[in-house]
């Protein structure tokens, strides 16, 4: 694709936006900058600073690959909009500049009022460029729009800068009538050159532009390439996703993806909870689920070209099964995956595969063997950390592999081979070095939740309490243990291992504080229920005995055996 770098005058870009020659593709987000953001941008222009490049797509208005709308504040009906370019990167900056130079009646972020922007010529004369730009509420700046007041206070609206010569000529006539001596001395020799120089920096400010050539609506490869360029270069403003890009593609076919998302939010409690109502992540996960149901690739360049036929129906199916996937992932039953709150979900990127597999099980009316296979895939993928980083390729491969195994018991999915080799039949498999931030750590906490874990002190299910992932052997206690040379025997990696962590209430954690395990077991845990309560935390009798004698090494060995045994049960078909 022949991408053309160029430079364009900033005011020309603003004028083209105002006339509708430059428009926004529908996937662009709304204008979200604050008055401070706009002021800082104008100050950067005034000082001649680099404000970033602008990425433009050349289009034919009648055959644009994306639906489009006017730049915010441009009052031009959609049916009369005939753009020559769509702005892919730089929307917030271009809209801010149009806002300053055109003063549309548009409220800025964090306020319900429009604002107007001004240049303080006294600050310009003093060289105080950092404070030369200011703004006032549109409904309270009437006096600033009066020419006599502007001349007296030496302020000029940004709306006047494109016609700076007219404003300056009027000012000079006003000044001569009042102070002819000042005009010929102070103003003409000192102020006018400084003002002209500053205003010309703004009026003759050029920005780098990158122009992408036209792409036809049916050119799938070209559209995918545009999207790839956009995603790579979109480093400023509000980050966009393939969800936004597809929104504009589908709009041309009468499919309103924003409305479909809102409907999904209204009818699916877990999807709403995990996404927070924002489609940035989970909107893309729905699209990946949809692609898998259609047995298609889930990479962005393929998602952007999802066919519009039956899209709404397939979207609703994808939403339904993504909700079912989240329900299974958050369930603490023996067949659930124990991520009872969002922070404990190992990988959101696994959810499309889980959703699509559940769809196939329902569609093909499969038996419990299929559910056991899904269970092995899920736990194995978590403990092998298979869904860290880029996952598009593994997503489709896992789905196809499991679907083939559903119908062909003789086929062994690649993930099953990895699980057997690296976990079940690996004598060196260990959880001891697991870091707190990774999926394996969360997986262990999920296994604890599935045991019906109860708070040490309250003897009540952990899911009903505000929780800490607590050190079973408290950090302060372990730090006090010395070796034969008098140095601390245990360092952070040994102390913070997942084998020494579990889920209890914040209140119990505070009560335990720095007690030795033997001490808090005697004081806080109901003695008649001690074995049962600790067993729900994957602490068996051997591990409990080690706690009662404050034997950390013995505890770690016993608890690792217990967790590994429970994990192995989840991984066997």
């Amino acid at each position: 694709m022949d991408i053309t770098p160029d430079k364009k005058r900033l005011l020309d870009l603003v004028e083209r936006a105002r006339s509708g020659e430059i428009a926004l593709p529908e996937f662009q987000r709304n204008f979200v900058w604050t008055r401070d953001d706009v002021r800082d941008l104008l100050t950067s222009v005034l000082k001649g600073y680099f404000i970033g490049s602008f990425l433009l797509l050349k289009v034919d208005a009648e055959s644009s690959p994306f639906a489009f709308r006017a730049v915010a504040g441009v009052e031009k009906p959609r049916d009369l909009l005939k753009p020559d370019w769509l702005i892919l990167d730089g929307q917030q900056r271009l809209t801010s500049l149009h806002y300053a130079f055109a003063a549309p009646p548009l409220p800025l972020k964090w306020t319900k009022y429009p604002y107007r922007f001004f240049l303080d010529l006294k600050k310009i004369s003093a060289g105080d460029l950092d404070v030369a730009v200011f703004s006032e509420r549109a409904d309270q700046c009437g006096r600033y729009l009066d020419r006599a007041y502007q001349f007296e206070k030496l302020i000029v609206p940004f709306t006047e800068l494109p016609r700076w010569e007219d404003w300056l000529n009027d000012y000079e006539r006003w000044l001569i009538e009042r102070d002819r001596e000042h005009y010929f001395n102070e103003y003409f020799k000192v102020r006018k050159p400084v003002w002209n120089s500053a205003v010309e920096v703004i009026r003759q400010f050029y920005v780098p532009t990158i122009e992408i050539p036209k792409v036809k609506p049916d050119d799938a490869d070209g559209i995918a390439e545009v999207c790839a360029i956009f995603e790579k270069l979109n480093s400023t403003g509000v980050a966009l996703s393939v969800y936004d890009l597809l929104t504009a593609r589908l709009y041309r076919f009468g499919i309103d993806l924003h409305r479909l998302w809102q409907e999904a939010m209204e009818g699916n409690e877990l999807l709403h909870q995990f996404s927070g109502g924002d489609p940035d992540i989970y909107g893309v996960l729905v699209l990946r689920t949809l692609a898998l149901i259609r047995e298609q690739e889930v990479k962005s360049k393929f998602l952007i070209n999802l066919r519009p036929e039956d899209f709404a129906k397939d979207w609703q199916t994808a939403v339904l099964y993504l909700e079912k996937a989240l329900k299974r992932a958050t369930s603490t039953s023996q067949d659930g995956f124990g991520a009872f709150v969002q922070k404990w979900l190992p990988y959101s990127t696994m959810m499309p595969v889980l959703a699509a597999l559940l769809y196939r099980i329902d569609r093909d009316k499969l038996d419990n063997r299929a559910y056991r296979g899904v269970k092995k895939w899920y736990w194995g993928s978590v403990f092998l950390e298979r869904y860290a980083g880029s996952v598009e390729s593994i997503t489709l491969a896992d789905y196809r592999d499991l679907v083939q195994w559903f119908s062909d018991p003789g086929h062994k999915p690649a993930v099953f081979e990895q699980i057997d080799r690296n976990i079940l039949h690996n004598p060196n498999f260990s959880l001891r070095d697991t870091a707190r931030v990774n999926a394996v750590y969360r997986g262990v906490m999920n296994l604890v939740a599935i045991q019906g874990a109860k708070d040490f002190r309250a003897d009540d299910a952990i899911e009903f309490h505000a929780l800490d992932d607590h050190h079973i052997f408290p950090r302060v206690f372990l730090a006090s243990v010395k070796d034969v040379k008098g140095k601390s025997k245990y360092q952070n990696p040994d102390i913070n291992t997942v084998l020494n962590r579990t889920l209890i209430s914040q209140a119990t954690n505070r009560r335990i504080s720095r007690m030795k395990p033997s001490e808090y077991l005697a004081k806080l845990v109901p003695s008649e229920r001690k074995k049962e309560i600790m067993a729900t935390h994957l602490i068996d009798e051997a591990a409990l005995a080690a706690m009662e004698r404050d034997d950390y090494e013995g505890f770690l060995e016993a608890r690792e055996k217990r967790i590994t045994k429970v994990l192995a049960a989840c991984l066997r078909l």
Side-chain angles (χ1 to χ4, degrees):
M1 182 173 286
D2 185 18
I3 299 175
T4 306
D6 194 8
K7 285 188 176 182
K8 289 183 170 59
R9 198 169 71 105
L10 197 62
L11 285 182
D12 290 339
L13 291 176
V14 172
E15 183 54 38
R16 287 174 177 176
R18 184 186 304 186
S19 68
E21 292 177 59
I22 295 178
L24 303 179
E26 274 292 346
F27 58 73
Q28 289 280 24
R29 301 293 177 83
N30 291 332
F31 179 47
V32 295
W33 276 21
T34 66
R35 60 189 291 208
D36 288 341
D37 293 328
V38 178
R39 183 200 63 219
D40 290 346
L41 177 65
L42 296 173
T43 300
S44 294
V45 172
L46 174 64
K47 297 171 77 172
Y49 289 171
F50 177 67
I51 63 168
S53 60
F54 289 75
L55 179 63
L56 301 170
L57 173 65
K58 186 75 174 173
V59 293
D60 283 325
E62 303 302 326
S63 59
S64 170
F66 301 108
F68 49 78
R69 68 181 188 274
V71 168
V74 174
E75 296 183 358
K76 203 170 188 70
R78 188 190 297 267
D79 57 347
L80 297 180
L81 200 59
K82 306 294 181 185
D84 295 318
W85 293 274
L86 299 184
I87 184 162
L88 300 185
D89 187 27
Q91 183 236 142
Q92 300 292 325
R93 285 167 287 153
L94 183 59
T95 307
S96 295
L97 293 163
H98 175 266
Y99 192 96
F101 288 108
L106 186 70
L108 292 171
K109 189 178 182 181
W110 308 129
T111 177
K112 59 184 179 180
Y113 301 103
Y115 277 78
R116 300 193 69 161
F117 287 82
F118 302 87
L119 195 60
D120 188 331
L121 297 176
K122 287 182 292 186
K123 301 295 185 183
I124 297 292
S125 295
D128 294 334
L129 302 187
D130 285 323
V131 291
V133 177
F134 70 96
S135 62
E136 292 290 341
R137 263 175 50 176
D139 62 338
Q140 295 181 357
C141 69
R143 64 186 185 280
Y144 292 94
L145 303 181
D146 178 71
R147 278 289 177 90
Y149 186 84
Q150 294 170 14
F151 298 156
E152 181 181 343
K153 299 297 183 180
L154 296 180
I155 60 172
V156 56
F158 266 79
T159 53
E160 296 289 345
L161 294 186
R163 300 175 297 278
W164 165 249
E165 292 87 357
D166 294 340
W167 188 93
L168 197 61
N169 288 336
D170 288 348
Y171 171 73
E172 289 175 353
R173 285 192 290 269
W174 177 88
L175 181 60
I176 287 175
E177 291 177 1
R178 284 158 178 76
D179 192 341
R180 193 176 186 86
E181 182 178 349
H182 177 81
Y183 172 81
F184 285 107
N185 293 316
E186 176 70 16
Y187 165 74
F188 194 79
K189 294 179 180 179
V190 179
R191 291 188 175 183
K192 183 176 181 179
V194 174
W195 294 354
N196 275 333
S197 177
V199 172
E200 280 306 290
V201 169
I202 297 172
R203 284 160 42 103
Q204 299 303 322
F205 193 94
Y206 278 76
V207 293
T209 58
I210 303 169
E211 186 173 305
I212 300 174
K214 296 176 183 177
V215 177
K216 295 180 179 179
D218 58 354
D219 182 0
D221 291 339
I223 291 170
E225 193 171 352
V226 169
C227 294
I229 293 169
F230 171 78
E231 290 178 314
K232 186 173 183 179
L233 294 180
N234 183 40
S235 57
T236 60
V238 181
L240 302 176
S241 69
V242 69
Y243 170 89
D244 301 280
L245 303 171
L246 189 58
T247 297
R249 289 280 291 147
L250 294 174
Y251 195 89
R252 297 175 54 250
F253 301 99
I255 299 169
D256 187 344
L257 196 52
H258 289 313
R259 179 182 58 79
L260 290 174
W261 175 256
Q262 288 305 316
E263 290 174 354
M265 291 298 92
E266 293 167 5
N268 298 278
E269 181 180 350
L270 287 172
L271 183 57
H272 189 282
Q273 174 188 327
F274 275 66
S275 69
D278 190 334
D280 281 346
I281 295 174
Y282 278 84
V284 176
L285 296 184
V286 175
L287 294 176
R288 289 182 181 175
T289 304
L290 188 156
L292 290 177
I293 287 172
R294 291 181 173 185
E295 301 190 38
Q296 297 177 4
E297 289 275 6
V298 300
K299 294 180 180 178
S300 294
K301 68 178 182 179
F302 294 104
L303 292 184
I304 191 62
N305 286 302
L306 283 169
R307 68 178 188 273
E309 292 80 15
D310 296 323
F311 184 89
K313 178 175 72 68
D314 291 346
W315 167 274
Q316 289 160 2
T317 300
V319 166
L320 171 65
Y321 280 91
L322 191 58
E323 180 75 6
K324 287 186 176 185
L326 289 170
K327 185 174 183 180
R328 187 169 288 263
T330 56
S331 171
T332 55
S333 72
Q334 289 302 302
D335 293 320
F337 298 131
F340 60 97
V341 293
Q342 186 171 2
K343 69 175 284 189
W344 295 116
L345 184 68
Y347 293 117
S348 62
T349 48
M350 292 179 67
M351 292 302 100
V353 184
L354 178 58
L357 291 173
L358 294 175
Y359 163 77
R360 285 299 292 258
I361 290 173
D362 282 355
R363 194 198 75 174
D364 298 341
K365 298 181 173 58
L366 302 177
D367 58 20
N368 185 256
R369 174 180 170 276
Y371 286 112
R372 294 198 305 273
V374 170
K375 191 173 184 178
K376 178 167 184 168
W377 162 80
Y378 182 92
W379 287 112
S381 294
V382 170
F383 279 83
L384 292 174
E385 299 184 86
R386 295 175 70 252
Y387 279 76
S390 180
V391 300
E392 289 91 345
S393 296
I394 196 174
T395 293
L396 181 61
D398 275 3
Y399 173 71
R400 285 177 171 170
D401 230 4
L402 267 292
V403 166
Q404 184 177 347
W405 179 82
F406 287 165
S407 59
D408 178 9
H411 173 72
K412 189 169 186 178
V415 61
F416 288 4
E417 292 180 351
Q418 293 174 22
I419 291 167
D420 293 347
R421 181 175 63 253
N422 296 316
I423 300 179
L424 292 177
H425 303 147
N426 179 10
N428 297 316
F429 176 75
S430 177
L431 298 169
R432 183 150 183 172
D433 294 332
T434 299
R436 188 170 186 257
V437 296
N438 70 11
V440 175
Y441 187 99
R442 296 188 189 100
V444 171
M445 295 300 114
N446 295 166
L447 289 174
V448 168
I450 290 170
Q451 308 309 306
K454 293 182 177 294
D455 184 64
F456 287 179
R457 183 175 59 90
D459 191 11
D460 191 36
I462 56 171
E463 60 192 280
F464 300 123
H465 298 267
L467 298 177
D468 282 343
D469 46 322
H470 151 71
H471 289 85
I472 300 168
F473 276 63
R475 175 195 294 270
V476 174
F477 165 69
L478 288 176
S480 70
V481 177
K482 307 297 181 183
D483 62 16
V484 293
K485 296 182 178 179
K487 296 182 179 181
S488 295
K489 184 175 182 180
Y490 300 108
Q491 304 303 316
N492 279 340
D494 297 316
I495 294 172
N496 293 328
T497 172
V498 71
L499 300 175
N500 188 35
R501 306 295 283 260
T502 195
L503 298 169
I504 60 173
S505 72
Q506 293 175 359
T508 296
N509 192 19
R510 287 193 295 269
R511 288 286 299 275
I512 289 174
S513 184
R514 57 185 65 196
M515 292 184 192
K516 297 184 292 186
S518 59
E519 184 180 359
Y520 74 70
L521 283 172
K523 290 183 176 180
L524 300 180
V525 182
S527 57
E528 71 281 3
R529 291 270 299 149
K530 187 184 302 180
K531 289 182 181 180
E532 291 83 354
I533 292 172
M534 304 313 287
T536 66
H537 292 267
L538 297 175
I539 298 172
D540 60 11
E541 291 187 21
L544 178 58
M547 291 177 67
E548 290 175 326
R549 61 177 185 269
D550 299 321
D551 174 9
Y552 189 49
E553 292 295 338
F555 169 78
L556 293 180
E557 181 180 352
R559 193 167 191 240
E560 182 167 38
K561 287 181 180 178
R562 176 58 183 155
I563 294 172
T564 303
K565 183 177 180 180
V566 171
L567 173 60
C570 295
L571 297 175
R572 290 196 179 95
L573 295 172

